[in-house]
Amino acid sequence: MSQPSNSAIPRVRFAPSPTGFLHVGSARTFIFNWLYSRRNHGTMILRLDDTDVERNTDASVQSIFEGLKWLGLGWDEEYKQSERLELHRKIAWSIFNKGLAYRDFTPAHTSDSEKSGPTKFDPKDLRVDTFISPGSVAVRITHLPSGTVVVSKDEKSESKNREQALLMLREQLNEGGRGTWLFNPGMPELSREESDRRAAAGEPFALRFRVPRSTVVRFTDAVYGEQMKAGADIEDFALLRSDGMPTYHLASCADDADLRISHIIRGQDHLTNTFKHVLIFGAAGYAPPQFAHLPLLVAPDGTKLSKRRHGPVVSVTTYRDAGFLPQAFINFLCLLGWSPKDDRTKMSQEELINAFSLEGINRANAVVNFKEIAPGDGFREKVAVAAGIPWPPEETFDPKAVWLNAEHIRGLAIEGLSERLLPIVREQFPNATPEKMLRVTPLIRERIKLLRDVLTAADFFFLDQLPPYAPAELIPQKGDAAMALKVLQKAQELLPNVEFKHDPLDYALRAAAQELGVKAGQMFQPIRVAVCGRKNAPPLFETLEVLGKETTLRRLGLAVEKMGQVASR
RNA sequence: GGCGCUAUCGUCUAGGGGUUAGGACGGAAGAUUCUCAAUCUUCAAACCCGGGUUCGAUUCCCGGUAGCGCUACCA
């Protein structure tokens, strides 16, 4: 029997199953594993848990790699479960040979509870009614052939109620509501001879773990502490499916044992599964590794994150595409369910590594505080995208994530930020040069929260022609059209002779304001609008300096024209 | 239904038998400023409920409630 490699270097793994895109919860699990391995000079392993052939997709594998690549954290070893099936089977049969597992010839349930609904019932046999109940939508299902009626109204959502109702119906219909399922009758007791005979005859079977009913299974979780569960409460779970494929539990444990994983850091949804895993490790002759379960990430409504219900905010690539810095995203995720126990929030990768410990992990679920995009908002999306408005809107992200991102952006050197901004700008303005970008960046660094904001914050630097704006925009505070015109004309008159540098511009325009008898702000505002096309923009002199004399004068001319038309009316 | 886990401002959290229960985001107000940001200052905002233990519980114990998870030949 091997020992958990406490003394050796820690080995941790991230083991996603490629059944969907990489979502934020998985990303956080990856990050915590990574931090633990780096903190303790251990090994980070990526293992694709792809034993569910039915649901695995290449697209999902792509999405996971894409997301992980963006995070930029990396790993040391990589495995695919589907390439290690022999190992899994070998371990399963070794457990069988010790008498700790048995063949179950009961036909498989026909996929009981798929998301789309029950397949066990013929839809024609069911009448489903919904009605409003306090806080949610209640569901009543009538099973026509038997006349059985069930109502679920206590769940939070219609879908949950529907699920619950189906469950209740099934229980009422199945031999008058049996208790908790532990094993299929007759199967654990099958003699070895009969079992072998039926198997040899080609009868399909699943291999099930023989859970010892009289024992108590224990383990110590690094986050949740001492855990114990009576064997009488653990069902005889499957190890091998009737097609010979290993189940998740078996494959996962077999690989964790074989890969000498020392610490399993994963979502809390596996906490109760861990009792089964401890059983498998023991039966296979291995000491179980150290477990550490992470609190779940949930949506503002308390339910677990799902793309269907909560939209694109649960997918890692959405954050990437909206212009989050990976470092900021990582920082944000770390603060969900973990705390450095001091008052730091903005943390660099180094700081995170140094501060990370399993002790800092919290036990309660953490809400990702995004605003839901209602599923029916496909229309809104289309409108927004067509109008060039960024999608999804900023409010759909957790405000703390956005703030943290702005904070990391501000912490970036001009050169570094400029390099990240340029490709985004170039998508819309192919002519943008690195030199220009470098000059624009300092003017917007404090003004953008997401990288994509560069497009709205700095558009006028790259645009040939300003989008149309209302002439009234040109009128300064406590001023009128005449004042705007006066100011613009004055600027037009003196700017050709001014050097386009901050100080000379400052001096010249302030002097002009005094000369005209207007306040500095009243002088600057019309010029700003003339040149930027809007009131809110970076400081004027720096902006003019970057824009250059030619563009400035051209835009001033256009503004004078515009103002002139208004004034003459 | 069974089993398990959890419960501090709206959100993320610190704390812990005696505290004005701390920080951050978000919100409000103000300062600064050529606008917008950034920055700074200030304010509002929380210990789920009920018992017990105790001189004293938000903190420890029990119960309740609520939420979540697992209860598949999914992972």
Side-chain angles (χ1 to χ4, degrees):
Chain A
M1 186 179 282
S2 65
Q3 292 299 306
S5 33
N6 288 343
S7 50
I9 58 165
R11 290 171 64 78
V12 298
R13 90 300 200 272
F14 172 62
S17 59
T19 54
F21 56 95
L22 180 68
H23 82 67
V24 295
S26 308
R28 191 194 55 166
T29 303
F30 178 95
I31 292 165
F32 280 26
N33 273 283
W34 187 88
L35 286 173
Y36 188 83
S37 77
R38 296 299 104 125
R39 176 73 181 88
N40 300 289
H41 311 288
T43 305
M44 174 76 198
I45 293 164
L46 174 68
R47 189 182 73 209
L48 287 175
D49 279 10
D50 54 352
T51 53
D52 185 0
V53 200
E54 301 282 306
R55 299 200 303 155
N56 292 337
T57 64
D58 278 351
S60 171
V61 175
Q62 289 312 311
S63 160
I64 288 168
F65 278 108
E66 211 183 315
L68 293 180
K69 185 187 155 202
W70 177 65
L71 291 180
L73 299 179
W75 50 89
D76 308 308
E77 295 174 22
E78 188 178 320
Y79 303 91
K80 257 177 128 171
Q81 276 197 332
S82 55
E83 291 165 357
R84 323 178 99 242
L85 298 175
E86 282 320 306
L87 170 78
H88 308 149
R89 292 192 184 111
K90 197 184 98 194
I91 288 182
W93 287 111
S94 82
I95 293 172
F96 174 81
N97 286 328
K98 288 176 194 164
L100 300 172
Y102 60 87
R103 294 192 185 94
D104 181 349
F105 295 94
T106 313
H109 283 230
T110 50
S111 63
D112 268 359
S113 54
E114 285 183 51
K115 282 191 188 108
S116 50
T119 51
K120 185 156 186 172
F121 301 109
D122 188 336
K124 284 195 289 275
D125 289 346
L126 299 179
R127 198 183 75 208
V128 181
D129 310 297
T130 57
F131 54 94
I132 304 298
S133 88
S136 178
V137 179
V139 175
R140 175 176 52 223
I141 299 181
T142 310
H143 187 239
L144 277 359
S146 67
T148 310
V149 181
V150 291
V151 179
S152 174
K153 55 181 167 59
D154 299 329
E155 302 292 336
K156 274 186 139 176
S157 65
E158 182 183 335
S159 60
K160 279 252 173 196
N161 269 326
R162 189 178 294 258
E163 206 174 288
Q164 184 60 29
L166 243 18
L167 216 71
M168 291 158 75
L169 180 61
R170 181 141 45 235
E171 267 172 28
Q172 293 209 12
L173 258 28
N174 282 355
E175 57 266 4
R178 63 172 186 202
T180 313
W181 180 90
L182 282 176
F183 51 83
N184 287 320
M187 290 300 148
E189 301 82 10
L190 231 48
S191 72
R192 181 66 187 264
E193 292 71 34
E194 192 184 347
S195 173
D196 286 350
R197 202 199 69 235
R198 288 173 71 172
E203 194 175 336
F205 62 86
L207 199 65
R208 282 190 189 282
F209 196 95
R210 193 188 300 277
V211 177
R213 298 292 161 220
S214 54
T215 56
V216 174
V217 185
R218 305 162 185 276
F219 67 95
T220 304
D221 190 273
V223 174
Y224 289 89
E226 295 297 320
Q227 303 292 317
M228 59 179 79
K229 190 166 186 172
D233 289 325
I234 305 171
E235 72 282 1
D236 283 356
F237 54 92
L239 260 19
L240 290 179
R241 300 191 262 247
S242 50
D243 61 1
M245 287 293 282
T247 61
Y248 160 76
H249 299 301
L250 194 241
S252 175
C253 292
D255 280 333
D256 288 334
D258 185 66
L259 297 173
R260 295 274 182 280
I261 301 299
S262 63
H263 299 258
I264 295 182
I265 304 169
R266 57 162 34 155
Q268 193 242 39
D269 46 347
H270 283 300
L271 188 62
T272 43
N273 284 334
T274 305
F275 296 104
K276 297 173 192 168
H277 299 175
V278 170
L279 250 14
I280 297 178
F281 278 105
Y286 294 93
Q290 171 70 246
F291 293 98
H293 287 89
L294 270 22
L296 261 22
L297 258 29
V298 297
D301 65 1
T303 62
K304 70 174 177 185
L305 300 172
S306 107
K307 181 147 192 172
R308 202 168 66 86
R309 291 196 43 170
H310 305 114
V313 257
V314 305
S315 175
V316 170
T317 47
T318 304
Y319 290 80
R320 177 197 63 186
D321 298 341
F324 277 84
L325 256 16
Q327 183 52 46
F329 182 67
I330 291 166
N331 193 167
F332 168 67
L333 250 27
C334 283
L335 264 15
L336 252 25
W338 174 81
S339 160
K341 306 278 183 192
D342 51 35
D343 287 341
R344 285 181 293 176
T345 43
K346 187 201 164 193
M347 294 176 81
S348 70
Q349 209 156 101
E350 280 310 301
E351 289 173 309
L352 286 170
I353 292 173
N354 289 327
F356 189 79
S357 83
L358 265 19
E359 286 70 48
I361 296 174
N362 196 282
R363 281 181 289 273
N365 290 172
V367 173
V368 183
N369 197 15
F370 57 81
K371 230 191 220 131
E372 293 195 35
I373 304 174
D377 268 0
F379 176 70
R380 241 183 88 199
E381 175 175 0
K382 275 183 196 128
V383 170
V385 170
I389 296 166
W391 191 266
E394 184 185 303
E395 315 86 72
T396 55
F397 298 107
D398 189 315
K400 195 148 194 170
V402 174
W403 172 80
L404 227 25
N405 199 54
E407 200 68 10
H408 275 93
I409 285 177
R410 278 175 230 129
L412 240 37
I414 295 298
E415 296 74 24
L417 179 57
S418 185
E419 274 169 38
R420 287 172 182 275
L421 257 19
L422 186 60
I424 298 170
V425 169
R426 276 200 165 148
E427 272 182 41
Q428 218 164 95
F429 309 104
N431 298 331
T433 64
E435 296 71 38
K436 178 109 177 227
M437 195 67 241
L438 205 53
R439 302 184 70 197
V440 170
T441 302
L443 301 186
I444 57 164
R445 185 170 54 173
E446 269 80 43
R447 272 163 264 264
I448 58 174
K449 292 177 178 163
L450 304 172
L451 294 179
R452 71 177 185 193
D453 294 344
V454 66
L455 293 174
T456 47
D459 56 343
F460 57 86
F461 284 114
F462 301 100
L463 241 24
D464 267 349
Q465 227 182 350
L466 251 23
Y469 57 90
E473 296 283 295
L474 290 161
I475 298 170
Q477 282 261 299
K478 296 185 182 133
D480 52 21
M483 185 193 279
L485 192 60
K486 189 171 69 173
V487 165
L488 291 168
Q489 282 168 338
K490 181 74 185 171
Q492 223 177 354
E493 170 195 325
L494 95 182
L495 253 16
N497 307 315
V498 178
E499 187 192 0
F500 265 54
K501 284 270 162 39
H502 180 284
D503 289 350
L505 285 165
D506 188 341
Y507 177 82
L509 289 173
R510 278 184 202 278
Q514 206 159 40
E515 195 187 319
L516 294 178
V518 301
K519 286 188 176 161
Q522 293 175 316
M523 180 80 204
F524 302 157
Q525 192 69 343
I527 303 176
R528 185 196 323 282
V529 173
V531 132
C532 303
R534 72 176 102 96
K535 283 179 178 160
N536 300 343
L540 188 59
F541 313 131
E542 290 92 325
T543 302
L544 294 182
E545 192 179 327
V546 173
L547 235 26
K549 195 177 277 187
E550 193 196 333
T551 308
T552 301
L553 289 173
R554 182 157 42 83
R555 290 181 185 176
L556 273 176
L558 259 25
V560 167
E561 223 173 274
K562 200 173 250 212
M563 211 60 239
Q565 285 167 10
V566 175
S568 65
R569 262 207 302 257

